[in-house]
Amino acid sequence: MARPATEELRRRNRSALLDRLHRRGPQTRAELTEALGLNRSTIGALASDLSESGHIQETTGRPTGAAGRPSTLVECVPEAATVAAVEVRWKRLRLAVVGLGGTVLRRDEVPIAPGADGAAVAKAAAALLADAEVSDAIAAVPGLVDGGTVAQSSELGWADRDFGADLESATGRVWRVVDVATAAAVGEWSRGDAHGVANLLYLHGGHGLTAGWVVDGRPRRGSSIMLGHIVVNPGGQRCRCGLSGCVEAEMGTFDFSETIDETTIAARLGDTAAREMVRRSGEFLGLALGAVVTATNPDEILFGGWLRELYLSSAAAVRSSLAEATLPQLRARLRLRTAALGAQGPLTGAAEIGFEALMERMRLMWLARQDSNLE
Ligand SMILES: [Zn+2]
């Protein structure tokens, strides 16, 4: 009965090889041999399996050594598996169709009416996707998401909206729904420069403020943190959520999302009111972060969306109020910086979450096929 174990191992190794190529891009057989800890002939056999199934191809790639002889590269065939990712924002809907290996095969964007409900946005997504054949589909939405339901979104004005059901009835297929901040956090970890950060927080500035939390490359279950509704000034400004003194209300995030550039430029040019606004916002953000850092103990915090510009203009204020609100032990190794992928982060990460599920499905399918071969 040695054969099933051998087949099982081969199936596992095949998944590992494909996963590696998807995440790290084209590599030589020698690099794969070293990275996966397998011998050359095993890598050769796996590569020919995957090349036969149409998932990978071998091409003449980069020159190696002084002689400049080009080496053969193993790479994913993007069209072999594709994920559609859409990002829903106030006033616009964006689409990326991403192929195996992370190649973006198509990008598109359409305006949507501010205040549009889930059904209308789903219809727009169906039209945008048109007749694209994809292996998985995922939507990133700003706010608090639970399964396919958008529990709360300040930006879209949705509460308890079953957007997964809206998308399914508009497109006739199943969709995953995630929050924008979690998607962007996964994007920064997998395709940005935060790879290897064990405990990563990504803060997203849209019409509201949310945070995504990724531990060892995976989103924490129910990980979206409602950063914007941390109360930093009890009895202060009335917030859209019904509470008073939320960091969103104190900072005026709804306005900031439209005016961040002019405000930070004016502050840099010495406009007193703008400088004061940026400094106070940085302080409130630092206070809210204090609560989040105390609860999650991250290694790194990335500022994305318009928080990127705010952080660049108010880093000292953010840091000093964070220091007043956290224990020194929690910030001894904490790094604060801006996100690398910028506006592409949410769609990039949403597609990666889709691929994670897709890879798992492929692995199970291969297993089932092996089982039936053995019968
Ligand atoms: Zn609030």
mmCIF file with all atom_site columns, all heavy atoms in Angstrom, residues 288-315:
data_model
loop_
_atom_site.group_PDB
_atom_site.id
_atom_site.type_symbol
_atom_site.label_atom_id
_atom_site.label_alt_id
_atom_site.label_comp_id
_atom_site.label_asym_id
_atom_site.label_entity_id
_atom_site.label_seq_id
_atom_site.pdbx_PDB_ins_code
_atom_site.Cartn_x
_atom_site.Cartn_y
_atom_site.Cartn_z
_atom_site.occupancy
_atom_site.B_iso_or_equiv
_atom_site.pdbx_formal_charge
_atom_site.auth_seq_id
_atom_site.auth_comp_id
_atom_site.auth_asym_id
_atom_site.auth_atom_id
_atom_site.pdbx_PDB_model_num
ATOM 1   N N   . ALA A 1 288 ? -6.838  56.909 19.214 1.00 0.00 ? 288 ALA A N   1
ATOM 2   C CA  . ALA A 1 288 ? -7.619  55.730 18.804 1.00 0.00 ? 288 ALA A CA  1
ATOM 3   C C   . ALA A 1 288 ? -6.685  54.550 18.572 1.00 0.00 ? 288 ALA A C   1
ATOM 4   O O   . ALA A 1 288 ? -6.983  53.414 18.955 1.00 0.00 ? 288 ALA A O   1
ATOM 5   C CB  . ALA A 1 288 ? -8.417  56.042 17.536 1.00 0.00 ? 288 ALA A CB  1
ATOM 6   N N   . LEU A 1 289 ? -5.525  54.840 17.977 1.00 0.00 ? 289 LEU A N   1
ATOM 7   C CA  . LEU A 1 289 ? -4.546  53.776 17.727 1.00 0.00 ? 289 LEU A CA  1
ATOM 8   C C   . LEU A 1 289 ? -4.051  53.154 19.017 1.00 0.00 ? 289 LEU A C   1
ATOM 9   O O   . LEU A 1 289 ? -3.763  51.958 19.079 1.00 0.00 ? 289 LEU A O   1
ATOM 10  C CB  . LEU A 1 289 ? -3.344  54.337 16.966 1.00 0.00 ? 289 LEU A CB  1
ATOM 11  C CG  . LEU A 1 289 ? -3.446  54.339 15.467 1.00 0.00 ? 289 LEU A CG  1
ATOM 12  C CD1 . LEU A 1 289 ? -2.128  54.759 14.864 1.00 0.00 ? 289 LEU A CD1 1
ATOM 13  C CD2 . LEU A 1 289 ? -3.830  52.957 14.986 1.00 0.00 ? 289 LEU A CD2 1
ATOM 14  N N   . GLY A 1 290 ? -3.973  53.984 20.064 1.00 0.00 ? 290 GLY A N   1
ATOM 15  C CA  . GLY A 1 290 ? -3.539  53.482 21.363 1.00 0.00 ? 290 GLY A CA  1
ATOM 16  C C   . GLY A 1 290 ? -4.412  52.318 21.806 1.00 0.00 ? 290 GLY A C   1
ATOM 17  O O   . GLY A 1 290 ? -3.903  51.279 22.251 1.00 0.00 ? 290 GLY A O   1
ATOM 18  N N   . ALA A 1 291 ? -5.728  52.483 21.646 1.00 0.00 ? 291 ALA A N   1
ATOM 19  C CA  . ALA A 1 291 ? -6.658  51.416 22.040 1.00 0.00 ? 291 ALA A CA  1
ATOM 20  C C   . ALA A 1 291 ? -6.440  50.177 21.181 1.00 0.00 ? 291 ALA A C   1
ATOM 21  O O   . ALA A 1 291 ? -6.411  49.048 21.682 1.00 0.00 ? 291 ALA A O   1
ATOM 22  C CB  . ALA A 1 291 ? -8.098  51.909 21.902 1.00 0.00 ? 291 ALA A CB  1
ATOM 23  N N   . VAL A 1 292 ? -6.253  50.394 19.866 1.00 0.00 ? 292 VAL A N   1
ATOM 24  C CA  . VAL A 1 292 ? -6.090  49.261 18.945 1.00 0.00 ? 292 VAL A CA  1
ATOM 25  C C   . VAL A 1 292 ? -4.774  48.524 19.222 1.00 0.00 ? 292 VAL A C   1
ATOM 26  O O   . VAL A 1 292 ? -4.730  47.295 19.259 1.00 0.00 ? 292 VAL A O   1
ATOM 27  C CB  . VAL A 1 292 ? -6.153  49.740 17.472 1.00 0.00 ? 292 VAL A CB  1
ATOM 28  C CG1 . VAL A 1 292 ? -5.908  48.595 16.517 1.00 0.00 ? 292 VAL A CG1 1
ATOM 29  C CG2 . VAL A 1 292 ? -7.501  50.383 17.177 1.00 0.00 ? 292 VAL A CG2 1
ATOM 30  N N   . VAL A 1 293 ? -3.707  49.294 19.444 1.00 0.00 ? 293 VAL A N   1
ATOM 31  C CA  . VAL A 1 293 ? -2.401  48.679 19.709 1.00 0.00 ? 293 VAL A CA  1
ATOM 32  C C   . VAL A 1 293 ? -2.435  47.887 21.018 1.00 0.00 ? 293 VAL A C   1
ATOM 33  O O   . VAL A 1 293 ? -1.911  46.780 21.110 1.00 0.00 ? 293 VAL A O   1
ATOM 34  C CB  . VAL A 1 293 ? -1.284  49.758 19.733 1.00 0.00 ? 293 VAL A CB  1
ATOM 35  C CG1 . VAL A 1 293 ? 0.013   49.212 20.309 1.00 0.00 ? 293 VAL A CG1 1
ATOM 36  C CG2 . VAL A 1 293 ? -1.050  50.298 18.319 1.00 0.00 ? 293 VAL A CG2 1
ATOM 37  N N   . THR A 1 294 ? -3.087  48.446 22.019 1.00 0.00 ? 294 THR A N   1
ATOM 38  C CA  . THR A 1 294 ? -3.188  47.745 23.298 1.00 0.00 ? 294 THR A CA  1
ATOM 39  C C   . THR A 1 294 ? -3.929  46.417 23.124 1.00 0.00 ? 294 THR A C   1
ATOM 40  O O   . THR A 1 294 ? -3.570  45.405 23.726 1.00 0.00 ? 294 THR A O   1
ATOM 41  C CB  . THR A 1 294 ? -3.918  48.623 24.340 1.00 0.00 ? 294 THR A CB  1
ATOM 42  O OG1 . THR A 1 294 ? -3.174  49.841 24.471 1.00 0.00 ? 294 THR A OG1 1
ATOM 43  C CG2 . THR A 1 294 ? -4.009  47.936 25.687 1.00 0.00 ? 294 THR A CG2 1
ATOM 44  N N   . ALA A 1 295 ? -4.943  46.409 22.262 1.00 0.00 ? 295 ALA A N   1
ATOM 45  C CA  . ALA A 1 295 ? -5.735  45.184 22.076 1.00 0.00 ? 295 ALA A CA  1
ATOM 46  C C   . ALA A 1 295 ? -5.068  44.165 21.158 1.00 0.00 ? 295 ALA A C   1
ATOM 47  O O   . ALA A 1 295 ? -5.281  42.966 21.309 1.00 0.00 ? 295 ALA A O   1
ATOM 48  C CB  . ALA A 1 295 ? -7.122  45.547 21.527 1.00 0.00 ? 295 ALA A CB  1
ATOM 49  N N   . THR A 1 296 ? -4.267  44.618 20.192 1.00 0.00 ? 296 THR A N   1
ATOM 50  C CA  . THR A 1 296 ? -3.790  43.677 19.161 1.00 0.00 ? 296 THR A CA  1
ATOM 51  C C   . THR A 1 296 ? -2.268  43.478 19.141 1.00 0.00 ? 296 THR A C   1
ATOM 52  O O   . THR A 1 296 ? -1.787  42.555 18.493 1.00 0.00 ? 296 THR A O   1
ATOM 53  C CB  . THR A 1 296 ? -4.200  44.153 17.748 1.00 0.00 ? 296 THR A CB  1
ATOM 54  O OG1 . THR A 1 296 ? -3.592  45.427 17.495 1.00 0.00 ? 296 THR A OG1 1
ATOM 55  C CG2 . THR A 1 296 ? -5.712  44.289 17.621 1.00 0.00 ? 296 THR A CG2 1
ATOM 56  N N   . ASN A 1 297 ? -1.519  44.339 19.789 1.00 0.00 ? 297 ASN A N   1
ATOM 57  C CA  . ASN A 1 297 ? -0.048  44.237 19.852 1.00 0.00 ? 297 ASN A CA  1
ATOM 58  C C   . ASN A 1 297 ? 0.615   43.963 18.498 1.00 0.00 ? 297 ASN A C   1
ATOM 59  O O   . ASN A 1 297 ? 1.332   42.972 18.336 1.00 0.00 ? 297 ASN A O   1
ATOM 60  C CB  . ASN A 1 297 ? 0.318   43.137 20.863 1.00 0.00 ? 297 ASN A CB  1
ATOM 61  C CG  . ASN A 1 297 ? 1.793   43.184 21.229 1.00 0.00 ? 297 ASN A CG  1
ATOM 62  O OD1 . ASN A 1 297 ? 2.498   44.147 20.899 1.00 0.00 ? 297 ASN A OD1 1
ATOM 63  N ND2 . ASN A 1 297 ? 2.275   42.145 21.883 1.00 0.00 ? 297 ASN A ND2 1
ATOM 64  N N   . PRO A 1 298 ? 0.402   44.829 17.501 1.00 0.00 ? 298 PRO A N   1
ATOM 65  C CA  . PRO A 1 298 ? 0.951   44.569 16.164 1.00 0.00 ? 298 PRO A CA  1
ATOM 66  C C   . PRO A 1 298 ? 2.459   44.830 16.084 1.00 0.00 ? 298 PRO A C   1
ATOM 67  O O   . PRO A 1 298 ? 3.019   45.539 16.922 1.00 0.00 ? 298 PRO A O   1
ATOM 68  C CB  . PRO A 1 298 ? 0.210   45.580 15.285 1.00 0.00 ? 298 PRO A CB  1
ATOM 69  C CG  . PRO A 1 298 ? -0.090  46.713 16.205 1.00 0.00 ? 298 PRO A CG  1
ATOM 70  C CD  . PRO A 1 298 ? -0.305  46.118 17.569 1.00 0.00 ? 298 PRO A CD  1
ATOM 71  N N   . ASP A 1 299 ? 3.098   44.229 15.047 1.00 0.00 ? 299 ASP A N   1
ATOM 72  C CA  . ASP A 1 299 ? 4.509   44.512 14.766 1.00 0.00 ? 299 ASP A CA  1
ATOM 73  C C   . ASP A 1 299 ? 4.629   45.742 13.872 1.00 0.00 ? 299 ASP A C   1
ATOM 74  O O   . ASP A 1 299 ? 5.612   46.468 13.906 1.00 0.00 ? 299 ASP A O   1
ATOM 75  C CB  . ASP A 1 299 ? 5.159   43.332 14.023 1.00 0.00 ? 299 ASP A CB  1
ATOM 76  C CG  . ASP A 1 299 ? 5.099   42.065 14.844 1.00 0.00 ? 299 ASP A CG  1
ATOM 77  O OD1 . ASP A 1 299 ? 5.542   42.101 16.001 1.00 0.00 ? 299 ASP A OD1 1
ATOM 78  O OD2 . ASP A 1 299 ? 4.589   41.053 14.335 1.00 0.00 ? 299 ASP A OD2 1
ATOM 79  N N   . GLU A 1 300 ? 3.608   45.923 13.040 1.00 0.00 ? 300 GLU A N   1
ATOM 80  C CA  . GLU A 1 300 ? 3.683   47.015 12.067 1.00 0.00 ? 300 GLU A CA  1
ATOM 81  C C   . GLU A 1 300 ? 2.291   47.568 11.784 1.00 0.00 ? 300 GLU A C   1
ATOM 82  O O   . GLU A 1 300 ? 1.325   46.812 11.723 1.00 0.00 ? 300 GLU A O   1
ATOM 83  C CB  . GLU A 1 300 ? 4.300   46.475 10.767 1.00 0.00 ? 300 GLU A CB  1
ATOM 84  C CG  . GLU A 1 300 ? 4.639   47.542 9.769  1.00 0.00 ? 300 GLU A CG  1
ATOM 85  C CD  . GLU A 1 300 ? 5.623   47.030 8.711  1.00 0.00 ? 300 GLU A CD  1
ATOM 86  O OE1 . GLU A 1 300 ? 6.747   46.662 9.088  1.00 0.00 ? 300 GLU A OE1 1
ATOM 87  O OE2 . GLU A 1 300 ? 5.240   46.991 7.546  1.00 0.00 ? 300 GLU A OE2 1
ATOM 88  N N   . ILE A 1 301 ? 2.217   48.891 11.624 1.00 0.00 ? 301 ILE A N   1
ATOM 89  C CA  . ILE A 1 301 ? 0.953   49.535 11.243 1.00 0.00 ? 301 ILE A CA  1
ATOM 90  C C   . ILE A 1 301 ? 1.178   50.285 9.944  1.00 0.00 ? 301 ILE A C   1
ATOM 91  O O   . ILE A 1 301 ? 2.129   51.063 9.817  1.00 0.00 ? 301 ILE A O   1
ATOM 92  C CB  . ILE A 1 301 ? 0.482   50.532 12.332 1.00 0.00 ? 301 ILE A CB  1
ATOM 93  C CG1 . ILE A 1 301 ? 0.127   49.769 13.619 1.00 0.00 ? 301 ILE A CG1 1
ATOM 94  C CG2 . ILE A 1 301 ? -0.719  51.334 11.849 1.00 0.00 ? 301 ILE A CG2 1
ATOM 95  C CD1 . ILE A 1 301 ? -0.296  50.677 14.768 1.00 0.00 ? 301 ILE A CD1 1
ATOM 96  N N   . LEU A 1 302 ? 0.312   50.017 8.968  1.00 0.00 ? 302 LEU A N   1
ATOM 97  C CA  . LEU A 1 302 ? 0.414   50.696 7.674  1.00 0.00 ? 302 LEU A CA  1
ATOM 98  C C   . LEU A 1 302 ? -0.733  51.691 7.542  1.00 0.00 ? 302 LEU A C   1
ATOM 99  O O   . LEU A 1 302 ? -1.876  51.366 7.869  1.00 0.00 ? 302 LEU A O   1
ATOM 100 C CB  . LEU A 1 302 ? 0.316   49.683 6.532  1.00 0.00 ? 302 LEU A CB  1
ATOM 101 C CG  . LEU A 1 302 ? 1.364   48.584 6.485  1.00 0.00 ? 302 LEU A CG  1
ATOM 102 C CD1 . LEU A 1 302 ? 1.060   47.620 5.339  1.00 0.00 ? 302 LEU A CD1 1
ATOM 103 C CD2 . LEU A 1 302 ? 2.751   49.194 6.301  1.00 0.00 ? 302 LEU A CD2 1
ATOM 104 N N   . PHE A 1 303 ? -0.435  52.888 7.046  1.00 0.00 ? 303 PHE A N   1
ATOM 105 C CA  . PHE A 1 303 ? -1.456  53.903 6.838  1.00 0.00 ? 303 PHE A CA  1
ATOM 106 C C   . PHE A 1 303 ? -1.814  53.907 5.348  1.00 0.00 ? 303 PHE A C   1
ATOM 107 O O   . PHE A 1 303 ? -0.950  54.130 4.500  1.00 0.00 ? 303 PHE A O   1
ATOM 108 C CB  . PHE A 1 303 ? -0.946  55.278 7.261  1.00 0.00 ? 303 PHE A CB  1
ATOM 109 C CG  . PHE A 1 303 ? -0.672  55.365 8.745  1.00 0.00 ? 303 PHE A CG  1
ATOM 110 C CD1 . PHE A 1 303 ? 0.550   54.957 9.263  1.00 0.00 ? 303 PHE A CD1 1
ATOM 111 C CD2 . PHE A 1 303 ? -1.652  55.818 9.614  1.00 0.00 ? 303 PHE A CD2 1
ATOM 112 C CE1 . PHE A 1 303 ? 0.802   55.014 10.629 1.00 0.00 ? 303 PHE A CE1 1
ATOM 113 C CE2 . PHE A 1 303 ? -1.413  55.879 10.989 1.00 0.00 ? 303 PHE A CE2 1
ATOM 114 C CZ  . PHE A 1 303 ? -0.187  55.470 11.500 1.00 0.00 ? 303 PHE A CZ  1
ATOM 115 N N   . GLY A 1 304 ? -3.103  53.639 5.057  1.00 0.00 ? 304 GLY A N   1
ATOM 116 C CA  . GLY A 1 304 ? -3.546  53.578 3.658  1.00 0.00 ? 304 GLY A CA  1
ATOM 117 C C   . GLY A 1 304 ? -4.738  54.482 3.411  1.00 0.00 ? 304 GLY A C   1
ATOM 118 O O   . GLY A 1 304 ? -5.283  55.078 4.347  1.00 0.00 ? 304 GLY A O   1
ATOM 119 N N   . GLY A 1 305 ? -5.168  54.560 2.149  1.00 0.00 ? 305 GLY A N   1
ATOM 120 C CA  . GLY A 1 305 ? -6.227  55.501 1.790  1.00 0.00 ? 305 GLY A CA  1
ATOM 121 C C   . GLY A 1 305 ? -5.711  56.912 2.082  1.00 0.00 ? 305 GLY A C   1
ATOM 122 O O   . GLY A 1 305 ? -4.502  57.167 2.011  1.00 0.00 ? 305 GLY A O   1
ATOM 123 N N   . TRP A 1 306 ? -6.591  57.818 2.466  1.00 0.00 ? 306 TRP A N   1
ATOM 124 C CA  . TRP A 1 306 ? -6.117  59.194 2.716  1.00 0.00 ? 306 TRP A CA  1
ATOM 125 C C   . TRP A 1 306 ? -5.355  59.314 4.039  1.00 0.00 ? 306 TRP A C   1
ATOM 126 O O   . TRP A 1 306 ? -4.703  60.340 4.301  1.00 0.00 ? 306 TRP A O   1
ATOM 127 C CB  . TRP A 1 306 ? -7.256  60.196 2.635  1.00 0.00 ? 306 TRP A CB  1
ATOM 128 C CG  . TRP A 1 306 ? -8.356  60.000 3.629  1.00 0.00 ? 306 TRP A CG  1
ATOM 129 C CD1 . TRP A 1 306 ? -9.545  59.361 3.403  1.00 0.00 ? 306 TRP A CD1 1
ATOM 130 C CD2 . TRP A 1 306 ? -8.376  60.427 4.993  1.00 0.00 ? 306 TRP A CD2 1
ATOM 131 N NE1 . TRP A 1 306 ? -10.294 59.348 4.536  1.00 0.00 ? 306 TRP A NE1 1
ATOM 132 C CE2 . TRP A 1 306 ? -9.599  60.001 5.538  1.00 0.00 ? 306 TRP A CE2 1
ATOM 133 C CE3 . TRP A 1 306 ? -7.491  61.118 5.811  1.00 0.00 ? 306 TRP A CE3 1
ATOM 134 C CZ2 . TRP A 1 306 ? -9.964  60.236 6.862  1.00 0.00 ? 306 TRP A CZ2 1
ATOM 135 C CZ3 . TRP A 1 306 ? -7.848  61.363 7.135  1.00 0.00 ? 306 TRP A CZ3 1
ATOM 136 C CH2 . TRP A 1 306 ? -9.064  60.924 7.649  1.00 0.00 ? 306 TRP A CH2 1
ATOM 137 N N   . LEU A 1 307 ? -5.417  58.251 4.874  1.00 0.00 ? 307 LEU A N   1
ATOM 138 C CA  . LEU A 1 307 ? -4.615  58.306 6.112  1.00 0.00 ? 307 LEU A CA  1
ATOM 139 C C   . LEU A 1 307 ? -3.124  58.378 5.792  1.00 0.00 ? 307 LEU A C   1
ATOM 140 O O   . LEU A 1 307 ? -2.324  58.819 6.606  1.00 0.00 ? 307 LEU A O   1
ATOM 141 C CB  . LEU A 1 307 ? -4.895  57.082 6.989  1.00 0.00 ? 307 LEU A CB  1
ATOM 142 C CG  . LEU A 1 307 ? -6.209  57.082 7.773  1.00 0.00 ? 307 LEU A CG  1
ATOM 143 C CD1 . LEU A 1 307 ? -6.334  55.800 8.575  1.00 0.00 ? 307 LEU A CD1 1
ATOM 144 C CD2 . LEU A 1 307 ? -6.299  58.302 8.700  1.00 0.00 ? 307 LEU A CD2 1
ATOM 145 N N   . ARG A 1 308 ? -2.759  57.905 4.588  1.00 0.00 ? 308 ARG A N   1
ATOM 146 C CA  . ARG A 1 308 ? -1.368  57.983 4.156  1.00 0.00 ? 308 ARG A CA  1
ATOM 147 C C   . ARG A 1 308 ? -0.896  59.443 4.183  1.00 0.00 ? 308 ARG A C   1
ATOM 148 O O   . ARG A 1 308 ? 0.119   59.769 4.786  1.00 0.00 ? 308 ARG A O   1
ATOM 149 C CB  . ARG A 1 308 ? -1.264  57.404 2.744  1.00 0.00 ? 308 ARG A CB  1
ATOM 150 C CG  . ARG A 1 308 ? 0.115   57.426 2.178  1.00 0.00 ? 308 ARG A CG  1
ATOM 151 C CD  . ARG A 1 308 ? 0.131   56.851 0.768  1.00 0.00 ? 308 ARG A CD  1
ATOM 152 N NE  . ARG A 1 308 ? 1.506   56.684 0.343  1.00 0.00 ? 308 ARG A NE  1
ATOM 153 C CZ  . ARG A 1 308 ? 2.267   57.673 -0.093 1.00 0.00 ? 308 ARG A CZ  1
ATOM 154 N NH1 . ARG A 1 308 ? 1.767   58.897 -0.211 1.00 0.00 ? 308 ARG A NH1 1
ATOM 155 N NH2 . ARG A 1 308 ? 3.528   57.458 -0.415 1.00 0.00 ? 308 ARG A NH2 1
ATOM 156 N N   . GLU A 1 309 ? -1.667  60.319 3.521  1.00 0.00 ? 309 GLU A N   1
ATOM 157 C CA  . GLU A 1 309 ? -1.298  61.746 3.453  1.00 0.00 ? 309 GLU A CA  1
ATOM 158 C C   . GLU A 1 309 ? -1.345  62.372 4.847  1.00 0.00 ? 309 GLU A C   1
ATOM 159 O O   . GLU A 1 309 ? -0.483  63.168 5.210  1.00 0.00 ? 309 GLU A O   1
ATOM 160 C CB  . GLU A 1 309 ? -2.238  62.514 2.515  1.00 0.00 ? 309 GLU A CB  1
ATOM 161 C CG  . GLU A 1 309 ? -1.807  62.513 1.066  1.00 0.00 ? 309 GLU A CG  1
ATOM 162 C CD  . GLU A 1 309 ? -1.764  61.125 0.477  1.00 0.00 ? 309 GLU A CD  1
ATOM 163 O OE1 . GLU A 1 309 ? -2.741  60.376 0.705  1.00 0.00 ? 309 GLU A OE1 1
ATOM 164 O OE2 . GLU A 1 309 ? -0.762  60.779 -0.178 1.00 0.00 ? 309 GLU A OE2 1
ATOM 165 N N   . LEU A 1 310 ? -2.386  62.007 5.610  1.00 0.00 ? 310 LEU A N   1
ATOM 166 C CA  . LEU A 1 310 ? -2.497  62.580 6.952  1.00 0.00 ? 310 LEU A CA  1
ATOM 167 C C   . LEU A 1 310 ? -1.288  62.181 7.800  1.00 0.00 ? 310 LEU A C   1
ATOM 168 O O   . LEU A 1 310 ? -0.696  63.026 8.478  1.00 0.00 ? 310 LEU A O   1
ATOM 169 C CB  . LEU A 1 310 ? -3.787  62.123 7.647  1.00 0.00 ? 310 LEU A CB  1
ATOM 170 C CG  . LEU A 1 310 ? -3.934  62.733 9.045  1.00 0.00 ? 310 LEU A CG  1
ATOM 171 C CD1 . LEU A 1 310 ? -4.308  64.216 8.957  1.00 0.00 ? 310 LEU A CD1 1
ATOM 172 C CD2 . LEU A 1 310 ? -4.953  61.994 9.895  1.00 0.00 ? 310 LEU A CD2 1
ATOM 173 N N   . TYR A 1 311 ? -0.903  60.899 7.711  1.00 0.00 ? 311 TYR A N   1
ATOM 174 C CA  . TYR A 1 311 ? 0.225   60.441 8.529  1.00 0.00 ? 311 TYR A CA  1
ATOM 175 C C   . TYR A 1 311 ? 1.520   61.148 8.114  1.00 0.00 ? 311 TYR A C   1
ATOM 176 O O   . TYR A 1 311 ? 2.304   61.574 8.966  1.00 0.00 ? 311 TYR A O   1
ATOM 177 C CB  . TYR A 1 311 ? 0.394   58.920 8.426  1.00 0.00 ? 311 TYR A CB  1
ATOM 178 C CG  . TYR A 1 311 ? 1.584   58.438 9.220  1.00 0.00 ? 311 TYR A CG  1
ATOM 179 C CD1 . TYR A 1 311 ? 1.577   58.479 10.611 1.00 0.00 ? 311 TYR A CD1 1
ATOM 180 C CD2 . TYR A 1 311 ? 2.736   57.982 8.571  1.00 0.00 ? 311 TYR A CD2 1
ATOM 181 C CE1 . TYR A 1 311 ? 2.683   58.087 11.346 1.00 0.00 ? 311 TYR A CE1 1
ATOM 182 C CE2 . TYR A 1 311 ? 3.855   57.579 9.293  1.00 0.00 ? 311 TYR A CE2 1
ATOM 183 C CZ  . TYR A 1 311 ? 3.819   57.640 10.690 1.00 0.00 ? 311 TYR A CZ  1
ATOM 184 O OH  . TYR A 1 311 ? 4.917   57.259 11.407 1.00 0.00 ? 311 TYR A OH  1
ATOM 185 N N   . LEU A 1 312 ? 1.721   61.303 6.803  1.00 0.00 ? 312 LEU A N   1
ATOM 186 C CA  . LEU A 1 312 ? 2.942   61.966 6.338  1.00 0.00 ? 312 LEU A CA  1
ATOM 187 C C   . LEU A 1 312 ? 3.028   63.407 6.853  1.00 0.00 ? 312 LEU A C   1
ATOM 188 O O   . LEU A 1 312 ? 4.099   63.953 7.057  1.00 0.00 ? 312 LEU A O   1
ATOM 189 C CB  . LEU A 1 312 ? 3.010   61.945 4.801  1.00 0.00 ? 312 LEU A CB  1
ATOM 190 C CG  . LEU A 1 312 ? 3.262   60.560 4.180  1.00 0.00 ? 312 LEU A CG  1
ATOM 191 C CD1 . LEU A 1 312 ? 3.149   60.621 2.663  1.00 0.00 ? 312 LEU A CD1 1
ATOM 192 C CD2 . LEU A 1 312 ? 4.632   60.014 4.595  1.00 0.00 ? 312 LEU A CD2 1
ATOM 193 N N   . SER A 1 313 ? 1.845   64.030 7.067  1.00 0.00 ? 313 SER A N   1
ATOM 194 C CA  . SER A 1 313 ? 1.833   65.420 7.530  1.00 0.00 ? 313 SER A CA  1
ATOM 195 C C   . SER A 1 313 ? 1.730   65.563 9.038  1.00 0.00 ? 313 SER A C   1
ATOM 196 O O   . SER A 1 313 ? 1.831   66.676 9.551  1.00 0.00 ? 313 SER A O   1
ATOM 197 C CB  . SER A 1 313 ? 0.653   66.168 6.897  1.00 0.00 ? 313 SER A CB  1
ATOM 198 O OG  . SER A 1 313 ? 0.806   66.205 5.511  1.00 0.00 ? 313 SER A OG  1
ATOM 199 N N   . SER A 1 314 ? 1.463   64.463 9.744  1.00 0.00 ? 314 SER A N   1
ATOM 200 C CA  . SER A 1 314 ? 1.236   64.609 11.192 1.00 0.00 ? 314 SER A CA  1
ATOM 201 C C   . SER A 1 314 ? 1.884   63.488 11.999 1.00 0.00 ? 314 SER A C   1
ATOM 202 O O   . SER A 1 314 ? 1.431   63.171 13.101 1.00 0.00 ? 314 SER A O   1
ATOM 203 C CB  . SER A 1 314 ? -0.273  64.634 11.479 1.00 0.00 ? 314 SER A CB  1
ATOM 204 O OG  . SER A 1 314 ? -0.842  63.374 11.168 1.00 0.00 ? 314 SER A OG  1
ATOM 205 N N   . ALA A 1 315 ? 2.954   62.891 11.446 1.00 0.00 ? 315 ALA A N   1
ATOM 206 C CA  . ALA A 1 315 ? 3.569   61.727 12.103 1.00 0.00 ? 315 ALA A CA  1
ATOM 207 C C   . ALA A 1 315 ? 3.955   62.028 13.556 1.00 0.00 ? 315 ALA A C   1
ATOM 208 O O   . ALA A 1 315 ? 3.719   61.209 14.458 1.00 0.00 ? 315 ALA A O   1
ATOM 209 C CB  . ALA A 1 315 ? 4.784   61.263 11.314 1.00 0.00 ? 315 ALA A CB  1
#
